[in-house]
Amino acid sequence: MCSISAFAQQPVHEIISIEKGLPSKTVYSMLQDSKGFIWIAHEKGISRYDGTKMKNYVAATSQGRACTSLQESNDGRIWFVNFDGNVFYTFANADSVYEEPRLKTKGDWSHIYYNNNCILKPTFNGLIFLHLKTNTLQQIEPAFKLNGYISSSLQDDELVLTSFDYTSSLGIRWKYVNHKTAIIPLTSKFVIKDGRGITGPIKIGKEYWLMTSANGISFINMNTGLIKNGINNNIIVNYYKWQNNILWLCTTAGVFAFDKNLNPLFNGKALFPNYSVSDIMYDREGTLWIATLNGGLIKTPALEILNHKINDKSVV
């Protein structure tokens, strides 16, 4: 048994999928609300999980049932968006789902965010705000003419977005903070000839980094032009998330983790490489939840406890 580390090993985990009441194995987003419920956005709507039972919701006004981008507002509402651009909400004790038609946009799907008692939705024409306290709508134009989004993320109360101007072949980054928008300045050493495969920005400290998947996954410092190699494999990043001082890359071949200096964790190996991962979340008890596009949810109580599968399949 002294050579056990040579065998395949993955953290001890539990699979939560169709057998436990989840309507679909294709999960896009997760959220633990203020009451402790786990909310799951998937291909057939959303579900609320109490640790034992699933309560499933479907938006009657939605033609596209696949949902993502779960958010909770201070009033206890659970918000989410479908891939048609419709925004909905419900409550933990409700049986129905309600649409917020003022946030509907056609052909312009994006994530939604909750920040400072507002629901934020990036669009091609700028940012739409639903101020929940006054129930009023506001729109802020972008810092430049926008032709397409690549990605967006909310970090440290700063909404950072990346777009690519296909007409001028220039990658442009901008941010929203304190009800103002601004272009994130790029160093003269920072050059992007082709915006395809660019994801980010990721804010680490006061610096911004982009990811490129041109040859594996690499990180580019927007301030210095420094390039750090991340993953050699040619895989697709489905989603990235900065949580617990760890950068999590959810990819088509498992989830990779990096520290605040972008050094790889877990010896640079993926957790659960047989799954296409779409989201990760730590709950209040420190349990790691992993959403997948091909296997439902993976619940991991402790990354330090590993399953060791030995040649004899009966021994784990």
PDB file of all heavy atoms in Angstrom, residues 51-84:
ATOM      1  N   GLY A  51     -31.074  19.221   0.882  1.00  0.00           N
ATOM      2  CA  GLY A  51     -30.202  18.178   1.397  1.00  0.00           C
ATOM      3  C   GLY A  51     -30.831  16.802   1.312  1.00  0.00           C
ATOM      4  O   GLY A  51     -30.137  15.788   1.395  1.00  0.00           O
ATOM      5  N   THR A  52     -32.148  16.787   1.124  1.00  0.00           N
ATOM      6  CA  THR A  52     -32.869  15.518   1.009  1.00  0.00           C
ATOM      7  C   THR A  52     -33.758  15.484  -0.226  1.00  0.00           C
ATOM      8  O   THR A  52     -33.738  14.535  -1.000  1.00  0.00           O
ATOM      9  CB  THR A  52     -33.743  15.270   2.257  1.00  0.00           C
ATOM     10  OG1 THR A  52     -32.917  15.305   3.428  1.00  0.00           O
ATOM     11  CG2 THR A  52     -34.437  13.917   2.175  1.00  0.00           C
ATOM     12  N   LYS A  53     -34.538  16.548  -0.413  1.00  0.00           N
ATOM     13  CA  LYS A  53     -35.523  16.575  -1.497  1.00  0.00           C
ATOM     14  C   LYS A  53     -35.259  17.746  -2.444  1.00  0.00           C
ATOM     15  O   LYS A  53     -34.729  18.785  -2.055  1.00  0.00           O
ATOM     16  CB  LYS A  53     -36.940  16.690  -0.922  1.00  0.00           C
ATOM     17  CG  LYS A  53     -37.365  15.506  -0.056  1.00  0.00           C
ATOM     18  CD  LYS A  53     -38.778  15.719   0.482  1.00  0.00           C
ATOM     19  CE  LYS A  53     -39.210  14.552   1.369  1.00  0.00           C
ATOM     20  NZ  LYS A  53     -40.567  14.767   1.929  1.00  0.00           N
ATOM     21  N   MET A  54     -35.695  17.540  -3.684  1.00  0.00           N
ATOM     22  CA  MET A  54     -35.654  18.577  -4.708  1.00  0.00           C
ATOM     23  C   MET A  54     -37.038  19.180  -4.891  1.00  0.00           C
ATOM     24  O   MET A  54     -38.040  18.466  -4.915  1.00  0.00           O
ATOM     25  CB  MET A  54     -35.212  17.994  -6.060  1.00  0.00           C
ATOM     26  CG  MET A  54     -33.784  17.532  -6.126  1.00  0.00           C
ATOM     27  SD  MET A  54     -32.628  18.898  -6.327  1.00  0.00           S
ATOM     28  CE  MET A  54     -31.090  17.949  -6.334  1.00  0.00           C
ATOM     29  N   LYS A  55     -37.086  20.495  -4.992  1.00  0.00           N
ATOM     30  CA  LYS A  55     -38.303  21.184  -5.394  1.00  0.00           C
ATOM     31  C   LYS A  55     -38.002  21.860  -6.720  1.00  0.00           C
ATOM     32  O   LYS A  55     -37.100  22.712  -6.806  1.00  0.00           O
ATOM     33  CB  LYS A  55     -38.729  22.213  -4.352  1.00  0.00           C
ATOM     34  CG  LYS A  55     -40.036  22.929  -4.692  1.00  0.00           C
ATOM     35  CD  LYS A  55     -40.457  23.861  -3.570  1.00  0.00           C
ATOM     36  CE  LYS A  55     -41.779  24.537  -3.900  1.00  0.00           C
ATOM     37  NZ  LYS A  55     -42.232  25.440  -2.808  1.00  0.00           N
ATOM     38  N   ASN A  56     -38.735  21.493  -7.775  1.00  0.00           N
ATOM     39  CA  ASN A  56     -38.416  21.938  -9.119  1.00  0.00           C
ATOM     40  C   ASN A  56     -39.353  23.043  -9.587  1.00  0.00           C
ATOM     41  O   ASN A  56     -40.553  23.018  -9.310  1.00  0.00           O
ATOM     42  CB  ASN A  56     -38.482  20.748 -10.088  1.00  0.00           C
ATOM     43  CG  ASN A  56     -37.554  19.623  -9.674  1.00  0.00           C
ATOM     44  OD1 ASN A  56     -36.415  19.861  -9.289  1.00  0.00           O
ATOM     45  ND2 ASN A  56     -38.037  18.387  -9.724  1.00  0.00           N
ATOM     46  N   TYR A  57     -38.793  24.009 -10.305  1.00  0.00           N
ATOM     47  CA  TYR A  57     -39.544  25.153 -10.815  1.00  0.00           C
ATOM     48  C   TYR A  57     -39.330  25.249 -12.324  1.00  0.00           C
ATOM     49  O   TYR A  57     -38.220  25.040 -12.816  1.00  0.00           O
ATOM     50  CB  TYR A  57     -39.060  26.466 -10.194  1.00  0.00           C
ATOM     51  CG  TYR A  57     -39.175  26.572  -8.692  1.00  0.00           C
ATOM     52  CD1 TYR A  57     -38.272  25.923  -7.858  1.00  0.00           C
ATOM     53  CD2 TYR A  57     -40.154  27.362  -8.102  1.00  0.00           C
ATOM     54  CE1 TYR A  57     -38.356  26.034  -6.476  1.00  0.00           C
ATOM     55  CE2 TYR A  57     -40.242  27.492  -6.721  1.00  0.00           C
ATOM     56  CZ  TYR A  57     -39.344  26.824  -5.919  1.00  0.00           C
ATOM     57  OH  TYR A  57     -39.419  26.952  -4.558  1.00  0.00           O
ATOM     58  N   VAL A  58     -40.384  25.646 -13.031  1.00  0.00           N
ATOM     59  CA  VAL A  58     -40.301  25.921 -14.460  1.00  0.00           C
ATOM     60  C   VAL A  58     -41.034  27.228 -14.717  1.00  0.00           C
ATOM     61  O   VAL A  58     -42.138  27.432 -14.229  1.00  0.00           O
ATOM     62  CB  VAL A  58     -40.928  24.788 -15.306  1.00  0.00           C
ATOM     63  CG1 VAL A  58     -40.920  25.177 -16.785  1.00  0.00           C
ATOM     64  CG2 VAL A  58     -40.166  23.488 -15.111  1.00  0.00           C
ATOM     65  N   ALA A  59     -40.410  28.113 -15.490  1.00  0.00           N
ATOM     66  CA  ALA A  59     -41.050  29.386 -15.827  1.00  0.00           C
ATOM     67  C   ALA A  59     -42.039  29.161 -16.965  1.00  0.00           C
ATOM     68  O   ALA A  59     -41.653  28.783 -18.067  1.00  0.00           O
ATOM     69  CB  ALA A  59     -39.993  30.412 -16.226  1.00  0.00           C
ATOM     70  N   ALA A  60     -43.325  29.386 -16.669  1.00  0.00           N
ATOM     71  CA  ALA A  60     -44.372  29.113 -17.656  1.00  0.00           C
ATOM     72  C   ALA A  60     -44.260  30.019 -18.876  1.00  0.00           C
ATOM     73  O   ALA A  60     -44.645  29.643 -19.985  1.00  0.00           O
ATOM     74  CB  ALA A  60     -45.749  29.285 -17.007  1.00  0.00           C
ATOM     75  N   THR A  61     -43.717  31.232 -18.697  1.00  0.00           N
ATOM     76  CA  THR A  61     -43.623  32.180 -19.812  1.00  0.00           C
ATOM     77  C   THR A  61     -42.355  32.004 -20.628  1.00  0.00           C
ATOM     78  O   THR A  61     -42.118  32.728 -21.576  1.00  0.00           O
ATOM     79  CB  THR A  61     -43.677  33.616 -19.279  1.00  0.00           C
ATOM     80  OG1 THR A  61     -42.582  33.806 -18.353  1.00  0.00           O
ATOM     81  CG2 THR A  61     -44.986  33.889 -18.577  1.00  0.00           C
ATOM     82  N   SER A  62     -41.523  31.039 -20.271  1.00  0.00           N
ATOM     83  CA  SER A  62     -40.233  30.871 -20.931  1.00  0.00           C
ATOM     84  C   SER A  62     -40.300  29.778 -21.987  1.00  0.00           C
ATOM     85  O   SER A  62     -40.699  28.651 -21.702  1.00  0.00           O
ATOM     86  CB  SER A  62     -39.152  30.532 -19.898  1.00  0.00           C
ATOM     87  OG  SER A  62     -37.947  30.196 -20.535  1.00  0.00           O
ATOM     88  N   GLN A  63     -39.909  30.110 -23.210  1.00  0.00           N
ATOM     89  CA  GLN A  63     -39.816  29.100 -24.254  1.00  0.00           C
ATOM     90  C   GLN A  63     -38.539  28.284 -24.095  1.00  0.00           C
ATOM     91  O   GLN A  63     -38.514  27.090 -24.372  1.00  0.00           O
ATOM     92  CB  GLN A  63     -39.864  29.764 -25.628  1.00  0.00           C
ATOM     93  CG  GLN A  63     -41.200  30.418 -25.932  1.00  0.00           C
ATOM     94  CD  GLN A  63     -41.228  31.047 -27.304  1.00  0.00           C
ATOM     95  OE1 GLN A  63     -40.194  31.182 -27.950  1.00  0.00           O
ATOM     96  NE2 GLN A  63     -42.408  31.447 -27.747  1.00  0.00           N
ATOM     97  N   GLY A  64     -37.473  28.949 -23.663  1.00  0.00           N
ATOM     98  CA  GLY A  64     -36.223  28.252 -23.393  1.00  0.00           C
ATOM     99  C   GLY A  64     -36.102  27.959 -21.912  1.00  0.00           C
ATOM    100  O   GLY A  64     -36.022  28.867 -21.096  1.00  0.00           O
ATOM    101  N   ARG A  65     -36.125  26.700 -21.511  1.00  0.00           N
ATOM    102  CA  ARG A  65     -36.151  26.358 -20.090  1.00  0.00           C
ATOM    103  C   ARG A  65     -34.775  26.379 -19.442  1.00  0.00           C
ATOM    104  O   ARG A  65     -34.670  26.480 -18.228  1.00  0.00           O
ATOM    105  CB  ARG A  65     -36.798  24.986 -19.905  1.00  0.00           C
ATOM    106  CG  ARG A  65     -38.287  24.972 -20.254  1.00  0.00           C
ATOM    107  CD  ARG A  65     -38.911  23.637 -19.883  1.00  0.00           C
ATOM    108  NE  ARG A  65     -40.354  23.655 -20.058  1.00  0.00           N
ATOM    109  CZ  ARG A  65     -41.161  22.657 -19.721  1.00  0.00           C
ATOM    110  NH1 ARG A  65     -40.640  21.543 -19.201  1.00  0.00           N
ATOM    111  NH2 ARG A  65     -42.461  22.750 -19.896  1.00  0.00           N
ATOM    112  N   ALA A  66     -33.697  26.231 -20.207  1.00  0.00           N
ATOM    113  CA  ALA A  66     -32.361  26.195 -19.629  1.00  0.00           C
ATOM    114  C   ALA A  66     -32.046  27.530 -18.957  1.00  0.00           C
ATOM    115  O   ALA A  66     -32.216  28.590 -19.554  1.00  0.00           O
ATOM    116  CB  ALA A  66     -31.333  25.889 -20.711  1.00  0.00           C
ATOM    117  N   CYS A  67     -31.582  27.478 -17.698  1.00  0.00           N
ATOM    118  CA  CYS A  67     -31.389  28.695 -16.901  1.00  0.00           C
ATOM    119  C   CYS A  67     -30.003  28.706 -16.276  1.00  0.00           C
ATOM    120  O   CYS A  67     -29.358  27.665 -16.123  1.00  0.00           O
ATOM    121  CB  CYS A  67     -32.441  28.783 -15.797  1.00  0.00           C
ATOM    122  SG  CYS A  67     -34.134  28.849 -16.421  1.00  0.00           S
ATOM    123  N   THR A  68     -29.560  29.899 -15.883  1.00  0.00           N
ATOM    124  CA  THR A  68     -28.258  30.039 -15.250  1.00  0.00           C
ATOM    125  C   THR A  68     -28.214  31.331 -14.448  1.00  0.00           C
ATOM    126  O   THR A  68     -29.214  32.020 -14.297  1.00  0.00           O
ATOM    127  CB  THR A  68     -27.143  30.025 -16.325  1.00  0.00           C
ATOM    128  OG1 THR A  68     -25.869  29.976 -15.682  1.00  0.00           O
ATOM    129  CG2 THR A  68     -27.218  31.240 -17.217  1.00  0.00           C
ATOM    130  N   SER A  69     -27.037  31.647 -13.910  1.00  0.00           N
ATOM    131  CA  SER A  69     -26.737  32.934 -13.267  1.00  0.00           C
ATOM    132  C   SER A  69     -27.635  33.212 -12.064  1.00  0.00           C
ATOM    133  O   SER A  69     -28.240  34.272 -11.952  1.00  0.00           O
ATOM    134  CB  SER A  69     -26.854  34.068 -14.301  1.00  0.00           C
ATOM    135  OG  SER A  69     -26.132  35.201 -13.908  1.00  0.00           O
ATOM    136  N   LEU A  70     -27.695  32.284 -11.117  1.00  0.00           N
ATOM    137  CA  LEU A  70     -28.520  32.441  -9.925  1.00  0.00           C
ATOM    138  C   LEU A  70     -27.969  33.538  -9.015  1.00  0.00           C
ATOM    139  O   LEU A  70     -26.764  33.612  -8.765  1.00  0.00           O
ATOM    140  CB  LEU A  70     -28.573  31.128  -9.149  1.00  0.00           C
ATOM    141  CG  LEU A  70     -29.397  30.007  -9.790  1.00  0.00           C
ATOM    142  CD1 LEU A  70     -28.978  28.657  -9.238  1.00  0.00           C
ATOM    143  CD2 LEU A  70     -30.883  30.247  -9.582  1.00  0.00           C
ATOM    144  N   GLN A  71     -28.861  34.394  -8.509  1.00  0.00           N
ATOM    145  CA  GLN A  71     -28.498  35.475  -7.603  1.00  0.00           C
ATOM    146  C   GLN A  71     -29.567  35.573  -6.515  1.00  0.00           C
ATOM    147  O   GLN A  71     -30.742  35.275  -6.760  1.00  0.00           O
ATOM    148  CB  GLN A  71     -28.437  36.818  -8.344  1.00  0.00           C
ATOM    149  CG  GLN A  71     -27.552  36.829  -9.573  1.00  0.00           C
ATOM    150  CD  GLN A  71     -26.078  36.796  -9.240  1.00  0.00           C
ATOM    151  OE1 GLN A  71     -25.614  37.486  -8.346  1.00  0.00           O
ATOM    152  NE2 GLN A  71     -25.324  35.994  -9.988  1.00  0.00           N
ATOM    153  N   GLU A  72     -29.193  36.026  -5.310  1.00  0.00           N
ATOM    154  CA  GLU A  72     -30.163  36.284  -4.250  1.00  0.00           C
ATOM    155  C   GLU A  72     -30.097  37.752  -3.856  1.00  0.00           C
ATOM    156  O   GLU A  72     -29.015  38.291  -3.589  1.00  0.00           O
ATOM    157  CB  GLU A  72     -29.900  35.423  -3.021  1.00  0.00           C
ATOM    158  CG  GLU A  72     -30.949  35.643  -1.930  1.00  0.00           C
ATOM    159  CD  GLU A  72     -30.677  34.874  -0.644  1.00  0.00           C
ATOM    160  OE1 GLU A  72     -29.528  34.421  -0.454  1.00  0.00           O
ATOM    161  OE2 GLU A  72     -31.614  34.737   0.183  1.00  0.00           O
ATOM    162  N   SER A  73     -31.251  38.411  -3.806  1.00  0.00           N
ATOM    163  CA  SER A  73     -31.319  39.806  -3.375  1.00  0.00           C
ATOM    164  C   SER A  73     -31.678  39.876  -1.896  1.00  0.00           C
ATOM    165  O   SER A  73     -32.090  38.886  -1.284  1.00  0.00           O
ATOM    166  CB  SER A  73     -32.337  40.585  -4.216  1.00  0.00           C
ATOM    167  OG  SER A  73     -33.596  39.932  -4.238  1.00  0.00           O
ATOM    168  N   ASN A  74     -31.539  41.059  -1.323  1.00  0.00           N
ATOM    169  CA  ASN A  74     -31.746  41.228   0.123  1.00  0.00           C
ATOM    170  C   ASN A  74     -33.157  40.878   0.570  1.00  0.00           C
ATOM    171  O   ASN A  74     -33.381  40.541   1.737  1.00  0.00           O
ATOM    172  CB  ASN A  74     -31.429  42.663   0.535  1.00  0.00           C
ATOM    173  CG  ASN A  74     -29.931  42.913   0.629  1.00  0.00           C
ATOM    174  OD1 ASN A  74     -29.149  41.971   0.653  1.00  0.00           O
ATOM    175  ND2 ASN A  74     -29.533  44.175   0.677  1.00  0.00           N
ATOM    176  N   ASP A  75     -34.116  40.993  -0.319  1.00  0.00           N
ATOM    177  CA  ASP A  75     -35.499  40.690   0.044  1.00  0.00           C
ATOM    178  C   ASP A  75     -35.816  39.202  -0.050  1.00  0.00           C
ATOM    179  O   ASP A  75     -36.976  38.798   0.094  1.00  0.00           O
ATOM    180  CB  ASP A  75     -36.469  41.498  -0.824  1.00  0.00           C
ATOM    181  CG  ASP A  75     -36.276  41.255  -2.315  1.00  0.00           C
ATOM    182  OD1 ASP A  75     -35.494  40.348  -2.680  1.00  0.00           O
ATOM    183  OD2 ASP A  75     -36.877  41.992  -3.121  1.00  0.00           O
ATOM    184  N   GLY A  76     -34.802  38.374  -0.302  1.00  0.00           N
ATOM    185  CA  GLY A  76     -35.005  36.930  -0.328  1.00  0.00           C
ATOM    186  C   GLY A  76     -35.389  36.364  -1.680  1.00  0.00           C
ATOM    187  O   GLY A  76     -35.582  35.155  -1.815  1.00  0.00           O
ATOM    188  N   ARG A  77     -35.490  37.222  -2.679  1.00  0.00           N
ATOM    189  CA  ARG A  77     -35.818  36.716  -4.010  1.00  0.00           C
ATOM    190  C   ARG A  77     -34.607  36.020  -4.646  1.00  0.00           C
ATOM    191  O   ARG A  77     -33.476  36.454  -4.490  1.00  0.00           O
ATOM    192  CB  ARG A  77     -36.291  37.849  -4.922  1.00  0.00           C
ATOM    193  CG  ARG A  77     -37.756  38.202  -4.752  1.00  0.00           C
ATOM    194  CD  ARG A  77     -38.229  39.199  -5.777  1.00  0.00           C
ATOM    195  NE  ARG A  77     -37.832  40.567  -5.437  1.00  0.00           N
ATOM    196  CZ  ARG A  77     -38.186  41.634  -6.144  1.00  0.00           C
ATOM    197  NH1 ARG A  77     -38.910  41.489  -7.248  1.00  0.00           N
ATOM    198  NH2 ARG A  77     -37.804  42.841  -5.761  1.00  0.00           N
ATOM    199  N   ILE A  78     -34.880  34.939  -5.363  1.00  0.00           N
ATOM    200  CA  ILE A  78     -33.871  34.219  -6.119  1.00  0.00           C
ATOM    201  C   ILE A  78     -34.061  34.584  -7.589  1.00  0.00           C
ATOM    202  O   ILE A  78     -35.120  34.350  -8.165  1.00  0.00           O
ATOM    203  CB  ILE A  78     -33.997  32.697  -5.927  1.00  0.00           C
ATOM    204  CG1 ILE A  78     -33.966  32.344  -4.432  1.00  0.00           C
ATOM    205  CG2 ILE A  78     -32.901  31.978  -6.685  1.00  0.00           C
ATOM    206  CD1 ILE A  78     -32.694  32.752  -3.716  1.00  0.00           C
ATOM    207  N   TRP A  79     -33.019  35.164  -8.179  1.00  0.00           N
ATOM    208  CA  TRP A  79     -33.078  35.645  -9.562  1.00  0.00           C
ATOM    209  C   TRP A  79     -32.275  34.713 -10.466  1.00  0.00           C
ATOM    210  O   TRP A  79     -31.279  34.129 -10.054  1.00  0.00           O
ATOM    211  CB  TRP A  79     -32.497  37.052  -9.659  1.00  0.00           C
ATOM    212  CG  TRP A  79     -33.246  38.091  -8.870  1.00  0.00           C
ATOM    213  CD1 TRP A  79     -33.163  38.312  -7.523  1.00  0.00           C
ATOM    214  CD2 TRP A  79     -34.188  39.026  -9.374  1.00  0.00           C
ATOM    215  NE1 TRP A  79     -33.993  39.339  -7.155  1.00  0.00           N
ATOM    216  CE2 TRP A  79     -34.641  39.807  -8.273  1.00  0.00           C
ATOM    217  CE3 TRP A  79     -34.698  39.315 -10.642  1.00  0.00           C
ATOM    218  CZ2 TRP A  79     -35.564  40.833  -8.406  1.00  0.00           C
ATOM    219  CZ3 TRP A  79     -35.621  40.341 -10.779  1.00  0.00           C
ATOM    220  CH2 TRP A  79     -36.053  41.085  -9.671  1.00  0.00           C
ATOM    221  N   PHE A  80     -32.703  34.622 -11.723  1.00  0.00           N
ATOM    222  CA  PHE A  80     -31.954  33.837 -12.695  1.00  0.00           C
ATOM    223  C   PHE A  80     -32.355  34.280 -14.098  1.00  0.00           C
ATOM    224  O   PHE A  80     -33.324  35.033 -14.283  1.00  0.00           O
ATOM    225  CB  PHE A  80     -32.189  32.336 -12.506  1.00  0.00           C
ATOM    226  CG  PHE A  80     -33.643  31.914 -12.576  1.00  0.00           C
ATOM    227  CD1 PHE A  80     -34.186  31.395 -13.741  1.00  0.00           C
ATOM    228  CD2 PHE A  80     -34.467  32.019 -11.452  1.00  0.00           C
ATOM    229  CE1 PHE A  80     -35.518  31.008 -13.796  1.00  0.00           C
ATOM    230  CE2 PHE A  80     -35.801  31.623 -11.499  1.00  0.00           C
ATOM    231  CZ  PHE A  80     -36.324  31.117 -12.678  1.00  0.00           C
ATOM    232  N   VAL A  81     -31.587  33.852 -15.076  1.00  0.00           N
ATOM    233  CA  VAL A  81     -31.833  34.240 -16.469  1.00  0.00           C
ATOM    234  C   VAL A  81     -31.798  32.984 -17.331  1.00  0.00           C
ATOM    235  O   VAL A  81     -31.069  32.032 -17.032  1.00  0.00           O
ATOM    236  CB  VAL A  81     -30.777  35.276 -16.939  1.00  0.00           C
ATOM    237  CG1 VAL A  81     -29.381  34.696 -16.881  1.00  0.00           C
ATOM    238  CG2 VAL A  81     -31.079  35.776 -18.345  1.00  0.00           C
ATOM    239  N   ASN A  82     -32.604  32.964 -18.388  1.00  0.00           N
ATOM    240  CA  ASN A  82     -32.523  31.837 -19.314  1.00  0.00           C
ATOM    241  C   ASN A  82     -31.698  32.247 -20.537  1.00  0.00           C
ATOM    242  O   ASN A  82     -31.265  33.392 -20.661  1.00  0.00           O
ATOM    243  CB  ASN A  82     -33.914  31.313 -19.698  1.00  0.00           C
ATOM    244  CG  ASN A  82     -34.697  32.277 -20.585  1.00  0.00           C
ATOM    245  OD1 ASN A  82     -34.215  33.334 -20.976  1.00  0.00           O
ATOM    246  ND2 ASN A  82     -35.924  31.907 -20.901  1.00  0.00           N
ATOM    247  N   PHE A  83     -31.485  31.312 -21.443  1.00  0.00           N
ATOM    248  CA  PHE A  83     -30.593  31.576 -22.568  1.00  0.00           C
ATOM    249  C   PHE A  83     -31.271  32.359 -23.683  1.00  0.00           C
ATOM    250  O   PHE A  83     -30.641  32.622 -24.714  1.00  0.00           O
ATOM    251  CB  PHE A  83     -30.015  30.259 -23.083  1.00  0.00           C
ATOM    252  CG  PHE A  83     -28.994  29.668 -22.154  1.00  0.00           C
ATOM    253  CD1 PHE A  83     -29.365  28.807 -21.137  1.00  0.00           C
ATOM    254  CD2 PHE A  83     -27.654  29.995 -22.279  1.00  0.00           C
ATOM    255  CE1 PHE A  83     -28.427  28.263 -20.274  1.00  0.00           C
ATOM    256  CE2 PHE A  83     -26.703  29.465 -21.410  1.00  0.00           C
ATOM    257  CZ  PHE A  83     -27.090  28.603 -20.409  1.00  0.00           C
ATOM    258  N   ASP A  84     -32.518  32.737 -23.482  1.00  0.00           N
ATOM    259  CA  ASP A  84     -33.196  33.639 -24.404  1.00  0.00           C
ATOM    260  C   ASP A  84     -33.091  35.095 -23.945  1.00  0.00           C
ATOM    261  O   ASP A  84     -33.552  35.997 -24.644  1.00  0.00           O
ATOM    262  CB  ASP A  84     -34.683  33.269 -24.537  1.00  0.00           C
ATOM    263  CG  ASP A  84     -34.886  31.944 -25.251  1.00  0.00           C
ATOM    264  OD1 ASP A  84     -34.006  31.588 -26.067  1.00  0.00           O
ATOM    265  OD2 ASP A  84     -35.891  31.267 -25.001  1.00  0.00           O
TER     266      ASP A  84
END
